[in-house]
């Protein structure tokens, strides 16, 4: 369970609002990537092609790391829910009445 907590702590750096109340850096970076894509694909700015793809790879790696953290949380929860006793399933149905 504590590994799941550690995994969530890793995500906090990527998903928390900034200290001044601004949006998470990931959001800002995705908007920057969008701007680069607009320059390259809509305006034909060849000088920005390398920047676009280098930044895209950087963000992809960051998101893959975040996904790894979320998979750790999901795996921990899955191991726990697999232990759910069938006897409690009937109790849940009785509580719904």
């Amino acid at each position: 369970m504590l590994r799941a907590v550690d995994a969530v702590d890793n995500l906090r750096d990527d998903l928390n609002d900034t200290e001044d109340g601004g949006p998470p850096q990931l959001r800002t970076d995705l908007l920057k990537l969008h701007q680069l894509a607009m320059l390259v694909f809509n305006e034909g700015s060849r000088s920005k092609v390398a920047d676009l793809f280098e930044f895209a790879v950087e963000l992809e790696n960051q998101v893959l790391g975040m996904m790894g953290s979320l998979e750790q949380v999901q795996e921990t929860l899955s191991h726990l829910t697999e232990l759910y006793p069938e006897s409690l399933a009937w109790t849940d149905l009785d509580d719904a009445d």
Side-chain angles (χ1 to χ4, degrees):
M1 295 297 285
L2 292 178
R3 285 188 193 154
V5 173
D6 289 342
V8 170
D9 284 342
N10 290 335
L11 292 168
R12 291 175 65 191
D13 290 336
D14 295 314
L15 298 177
N16 271 348
D17 288 348
T18 60
E19 290 180 15
D20 63 355
Q25 186 61 44
L26 180 60
R27 181 182 189 280
T28 302
D29 289 344
L30 288 169
L31 288 172
K32 179 181 174 184
L33 184 66
H34 177 264
Q35 286 178 322
L36 285 169
M38 296 294 287
L39 287 171
V40 170
F41 295 111
N42 290 348
E43 297 179 24
S45 179
R46 292 177 183 235
S47 66
K48 297 294 183 183
V49 171
D51 293 341
L52 170 69
F53 288 104
E54 288 171 13
F55 197 47
V57 168
E58 182 181 317
L59 289 178
E60 181 180 32
N61 288 334
Q62 180 182 358
V63 170
L64 285 171
M66 293 167 61
M67 290 173 59
S69 294
L70 283 172
E71 286 171 356
Q72 177 65 51
V73 172
Q74 186 277 324
E75 184 178 311
T76 300
L77 294 172
S78 180
H79 287 307
L80 181 60
T81 58
E82 287 173 2
L83 301 174
Y84 192 99
E86 282 188 40
S87 62
L88 290 178
W90 292 105
T91 304
D92 290 344
L93 291 176
D94 292 340
D95 290 342
D97 293 332

